[in-house]
Amino acid sequence: VSTWSLSSGVNPDIHSERTSPSFPVERVTNLLDGGAELTATRRHVESIINSDSTFSQDDRYFLTRVEQYEGSVRRAVRLREKMKELGWADNGTEAMFAFRVLGADVAFGIHNGVFIPTIKELGIEAQIAKWVPLAQDLQIIGTYAQTELGHGTYLRGLETTVTFDPSNQEFVINMPRLSSIKWWPGDLGRSATHALVLAQLYTQGKCQGMHAFIVQIRSLVDHSSLPGVTVGDIGPKMNFDQVDNGFLILQNVHIPRENMLCRYSEVSPDGTYVKRGSDRINYFSMVLTRTRLLSAEIIPALAKACVIAIRYSVVRRQSKLKPGEMETKILDYQMQQQKLFPQLATVFAFHFMASSFEAFCNQVKVQIKSKGDFSSLPELHALSAGLKALLSDVCSAGVETCRRACGGHGYSLLSGLPSLYTRVAGSCTYEGENTVMQLQTARFLMNCLSKVYSGQPLPQSVSYLSDLFSTRCCGTEKTDFIKPPVYTKAYKHRAQRLIKNAGFQLQSLLQSGVEQYVAWDSTSILLAQAAIAHCQYTIVNNFVETMSRLQHEPEIQQVLQVLCDLYALSGILANAEEFLHDGYMTGHQLDLVTASQRDLLTCVRKDAVSLVDAFDYSDQQLHSAIGSYDGHAYQRLFEWAQKAPMNAKVPFALFLALSSCC
Amino acid sequence: VSTWSLSSGVNPDIHSERTSPSFPVERVTNLLDGGAELTATRRHVESIINSDSTFSQDDRYFLTRVEQYEGSVRRAVRLREKMKELGWADNGTEAMFAFRVLGADVAFGIHNGVFIPTIKELGIEAQIAKWVPLAQDLQIIGTYAQTELGHGTYLRGLETTVTFDPSNQEFVINMPRLSSIKWWPGDLGRSATHALVLAQLYTQGKCQGMHAFIVQIRSLVDHSSLPGVTVGDIGPKMNFDQVDNGFLILQNVHIPRENMLCRYSEVSPDGTYVKRGSDRINYFSMVLTRTRLLSAEIIPALAKACVIAIRYSVVRRQSKLKPGEMETKILDYQMQQQKLFPQLATVFAFHFMASSFEAFCNQVKVQIKSKGDFSSLPELHALSAGLKALLSDVCSAGVETCRRACGGHGYSLLSGLPSLYTRVAGSCTYEGENTVMQLQTARFLMNCLSKVYSGQPLPQSVSYLSDLFSTRCCGTEKTDFIKPPVYTKAYKHRAQRLIKNAGFQLQSLLQSGVEQYVAWDSTSILLAQAAIAHCQYTIVNNFVETMSRLQHEPEIQQVLQVLCDLYALSGILANAEEFLHDGYMTGHQLDLVTASQRDLLTCVRKDAVSLVDAFDYSDQQLHSAIGSYDGHAYQRLFEWAQKAPMNAKVPFALFLALSSCC
């Protein structure tokens, strides 16, 4: 092997892509980070993490689950040490970036992200003072035990019971049947010493619905499970090998009365159930969790996949487009551009959407905290559900498109792409199954629609429902279709039509005497379609608005406008039927959209590598042999493969055994 | 846990689904197997395999790669012993079923499936006599080393060279650069002693193109690699953990002149290159390999996913459709039916297509063997490429749809669904990358189109290109659309239009002076679309024809006709734009198709479990905790999870370490 000269510089095939970008790459990075200062902070945090060997994951593709789990615990502990050492506040910018860089590869995600915040939210001062410091110091590790074997998204169906016994001022926890076993909670399988158990509260013979209780499940001395507690890991998953998602059985487990989180409701010593205030704030937390998921997990998965696939596509040469010349970079094939560039545009579209949605969240938070005004909550909730469903679906499909666009090497774990897919695919079912999410959005849309008909005012994000319903798209040549007013109008029309369509079918069924629940179920396919169209309109609109705010940065506005147009037109082509159906667009107009979209692919080609460079992921974050900055895909595949445990020893004994038996 | 009574019978929720199927289940099984006799043989083979503990894979989700690999070798050896013991011929029916049941879980797949057959095909008698018996007895293990780090589907780009040296009657093998390393061959990483190396042949200073050479790579004494040979495993993949896909570096390796497979071409002692006859038969083998892939890997993946998802959907109850009643089986929701039933219909559509295609292969084989008539080869090749691309894409997407339809539990490896996906997804890139495959089909279609215009006769599968081009769909009410002539006509029209459309654009570009290769690349998106439309028409047509041949079996014909209609209508809805584009269908007609398709979902509902039972997969083949015949999903998830290595020990030491450092 020594006869080949291995390269140390940058692969010329990728270097040449970077020589003359049409825009200042760093400015796009700043825009994505939220400003140059934040870019600097992020890079500072990353350099600290990348230079600490505890955080290194060079061997990530070769470890067993147990090894991966143990690594994630080591990283979690090390991160806490670092944070203390460097004085990073728990909710500070540095910590946020650190958690984002390490993601699910650091343990205690549920402990930090759900257990502690929920106690802060649903607990009273005394409870917060007792539990939170212990948890923050990792003296105890907590999980959030809600989902059961038999019930997930449908919370009312949860079966675990907590019964108050006034005689000894204790709650008694039980699980009536096998399907009641708590199943899936993260950090539960091996780590947790405590669980926040969500269960049906019974007192004075009456069920008061779901409440949260702190239950110790393992010994703080030797980590063995306590009496009445059976706990373990639920086994391997499609990804998240490092997370100890667990099961928990509680049989006749007693906890003191004080362990019920009682900011919004309480059981008095005599067993009287007292409700105080509304726990609607809980919905707001759910929305926040989902929003964080978008920017921390879902969108970055697609962004990383784009980086890997686009870089690989300029160093992979295959076949000759033009006879007699060098083999062609695969990114120069139209099919490859058609696979990858719409994904790249989607990353930007979703990033800007998530930013705007975060701003909306903060605004609602102020309304709630300052005025106790919960009126925007339904809108926020509906939009968060619909966006979570759409973004997780689209990003999953997009990552897989990028993976397949890398051919055989995209099937190797070393490419980094399979893990990106198997991880992001989980987001389609966790934090609310996507179909259920879409139908929640649709329910809100149906409520809004009835407001339109009764002349009531509409929340801002759906105000377009009462706008004029245009019937014909006005584009007549292909350049018309890259005009934002033309395509936003088209998306608006489609959303209006599909929402009204679903409402109409629902009404018709009800008027024909069909029962409410049957009508709803029979309309569910249309309702989901309507929810998607609403979200897509919102995203296109938001991209266009974001671009108009960028007018003071013409150097980057131009290239991003191309991506905005590409996102919009690719979406029209992918859902063309819905634009043609009622004649809003004609087949001929669609041909113009197609021609226009092909032109945009050509525009993006020259900046493609610089655009993914702008995401500014270090090689340590990509974990990809084929997507590294220097473009030495083959060399790195070869080097990494050597480290595989399969290469550790020659299976001599096995082969002796083999040859002797035949 | 002992307080819960665990069930041993069949879950009543699945039992009730089986009490009154509308058709004789066993007859459908027979039809799928190709007759009652073959069903019996298959069950016999399966019972032998299921009763031998060497073949047991109860622990498959808990093993390391090395353990999985070793298990697959043990199974391969055991299978060979069994075959000897029971007198199963190498190409007999029993062996075929055995290999199909064990699939990629038994080692030496490339050895048995490619190494041996290629020697038989490209070797002369003396070569076959020398190598094949050794290989069949596993005295040597062979791999097929074609793909390189830098080149896959584009074979002409392969870089490994073999140079003839007349002075010592040897070939010398070399790899000029890193990208020439052989990469991906199965059975190579740890098992192979020999490799069939595909390389560019140089003799008398001239390159004669790709030829095949037998090269020993490891010692038969101690399995160490021979001088000049560097060999190992390429590391972990998205699936196929048990397969030792490997890399191979050959530097200045000498092999005797006789090791070139020389049925069709030879190098004489003086170095003269002699070609004899055509090796077109090689294309035929490639077609056969692809066809086997369809029935052995791709279609069964979707079939198994349907079994698991549909069975789980009748034992999973979630939320209440009707207030006050029991929670609803999730299969009773329209959205769930919309996700799963089109997949079920697809399994049948693809199964019948694969059967017909196999028959076509056999017919062509006879033409070739008896008359040396290769005239049908281009048609066969084009159809095999297009079908492979379409079926692997659709089955991959379908498996993933089934997986997600099982919510959170579908994300657990124990459900069996993630592995079905990660495995079948590989088929989109191996045996020819799908986009390249589609463009090969398209090239054939463009040739046929030019024959239409010049009045030449067309091969049977594309003869419809010269049929009348109808311009309007004639359906006026929803029942019209379940008439096979109505929907086959629609598919035909769409295929005709898209093929002509691509041809038209290609011609226009050429006539405007654009170079051939640019025109082809600029039309590639349309060309791929045309290839897909052609294949979908072929499949729908074939389903309809298969049904018409079933008229003597009305008891099963009825339920299968529903699936045929469902397949056709679901396909129209999924590609609706292409039926609306030129006004062949109107938006209103599409609404009728939608209504009709919903009715079909309801029809399938009552037979859904019986239909998947008819696939007759034993629990041992499904490897699914949630899809077993008895429907005890939760119980089995709980039992299987206990076996996870993560539950082997309490991580006490780790937690001591952890608590001490904070």
Side-chain angles (χ1 to χ4, degrees), chain A residues 233 339 400 421-422 435 647, chain B residues 233 339 400 411 421 435 647:
Chain A
D233 184 279
K339 289 174 187 174
E400 186 65 352
Y421 179 71
T422 51
T435 302
N647 288 320
Chain B
D233 185 279
K339 289 174 187 174
E400 186 63 353
Y411 195 73
Y421 179 72
T435 302
N647 288 319

Side-chain angles (χ1 to χ4, degrees), chain B residues 431-503:
Chain B
E431 292 295 330
E433 196 275 329
N434 277 358
T435 302
V436 177
M437 294 296 99
Q438 285 163 350
L439 293 177
Q440 286 186 5
T441 305
R443 199 173 287 276
F444 171 77
L445 293 173
M446 291 303 105
N447 288 338
C448 294
L449 193 60
S450 68
K451 285 186 186 166
V452 173
Y453 295 138
S454 62
Q456 290 175 264
L458 292 173
Q460 195 270 328
S461 64
V462 289
S463 62
Y464 71 94
L465 281 179
S466 53
D467 283 4
L468 199 71
F469 188 71
S470 59
T471 54
R472 287 278 177 279
C473 173
C474 61
T476 56
E477 39 194 311
K478 70 176 181 175
T479 49
D480 286 342
F481 292 92
I482 52 168
K483 292 176 185 157
V486 173
Y487 57 69
T488 46
K489 245 193 192 161
Y491 275 94
K492 187 209 267 193
H493 169 85
R494 162 183 174 243
Q496 287 175 324
R497 182 175 71 79
L498 290 174
I499 292 167
K500 288 180 182 176
N501 200 12

Side-chain angles (χ1 to χ4, degrees), chain B residues 282-450:
Chain B
N282 236 348
Y283 277 89
F284 185 70
S285 316
M286 205 160 63
V287 170
L288 276 190
T289 305
R290 274 193 208 127
T291 316
R292 268 195 298 263
L293 194 64
L294 299 182
S295 354
E297 284 279 336
I298 296 176
I299 304 171
L302 185 56
K304 288 176 187 172
C306 285
V307 178
I308 297 170
I310 287 176
R311 285 184 182 162
Y312 176 68
S313 298
V314 299
V315 300
R316 174 80 168 178
R317 289 178 177 270
Q318 197 77 179
S319 186
K320 297 177 188 185
L321 200 47
K322 190 168 181 175
E325 290 201 341
M326 271 183 90
E327 287 189 59
T328 309
K329 289 178 174 184
I330 59 175
L331 198 62
D332 288 326
Y333 290 102
Q334 192 190 54
M335 286 293 285
Q336 189 77 351
Q337 297 173 8
Q338 178 73 326
K339 289 174 187 174
L340 299 180
F341 295 164
Q343 310 305 331
L344 181 61
T346 299
V347 173
F348 283 91
F350 287 0
H351 175 88
F352 295 133
M353 185 68 239
S355 301
S356 301
F357 189 70
E358 247 166 86
F360 182 31
C361 282
N362 290 333
Q363 185 190 319
V364 174
K365 195 176 181 175
V366 171
Q367 283 174 11
I368 294 177
K369 301 260 161 174
S370 67
K371 306 183 224 162
D373 173 4
F374 283 91
S375 62
S376 295
L377 202 52
E379 182 187 9
L380 191 74
H381 181 259
L383 198 53
S384 82
L387 287 177
K388 183 268 177 186
L390 183 68
L391 270 62
S392 56
D393 271 354
V394 171
C395 289
S396 298
V399 168
E400 186 63 353
T401 299
C402 292
R403 189 188 69 71
R404 290 193 199 166
C406 295
H409 294 322
Y411 195 73
S412 166
L413 284 200
L414 307 183
S415 73
L417 292 163
S419 328
L420 283 174
Y421 179 72
T422 52
R423 191 170 283 194
V424 74
S427 66
C428 298
T429 43
Y430 68 65
E431 292 295 330
E433 196 275 329
N434 277 358
T435 302
V436 177
M437 294 296 99
Q438 285 163 350
L439 293 177
Q440 286 186 5
T441 305
R443 199 173 287 276
F444 171 77
L445 293 173
M446 291 303 105
N447 288 338
C448 294
L449 193 60
S450 68

Side-chain angles (χ1 to χ4, degrees), chain A residues 218-235:
Chain A
R218 285 188 174 102
S219 156
L220 293 179
V221 179
D222 67 2
H223 209 66
S224 62
S225 56
L226 297 186
V229 175
T230 311
V231 60
D233 184 279
I234 61 164

Side-chain angles (χ1 to χ4, degrees), chain A residues 62 64 643-651 654, chain B residues 62-75 190 233 236 240-244:
Chain A
F62 308 122
T64 65
K643 297 189 249 171
M646 278 284 276
N647 288 320
K649 56 174 178 131
V650 175
L654 186 69
Chain B
F62 308 122
L63 302 178
T64 65
R65 267 201 76 201
V66 172
E67 289 164 345
Q68 289 190 55
Y69 163 72
E70 290 176 356
S72 80
V73 170
R74 270 194 302 273
R75 284 190 285 275
R190 291 180 69 153
D233 185 279
F240 293 97
D241 279 349
Q242 74 291 358
V243 180
D244 57 330

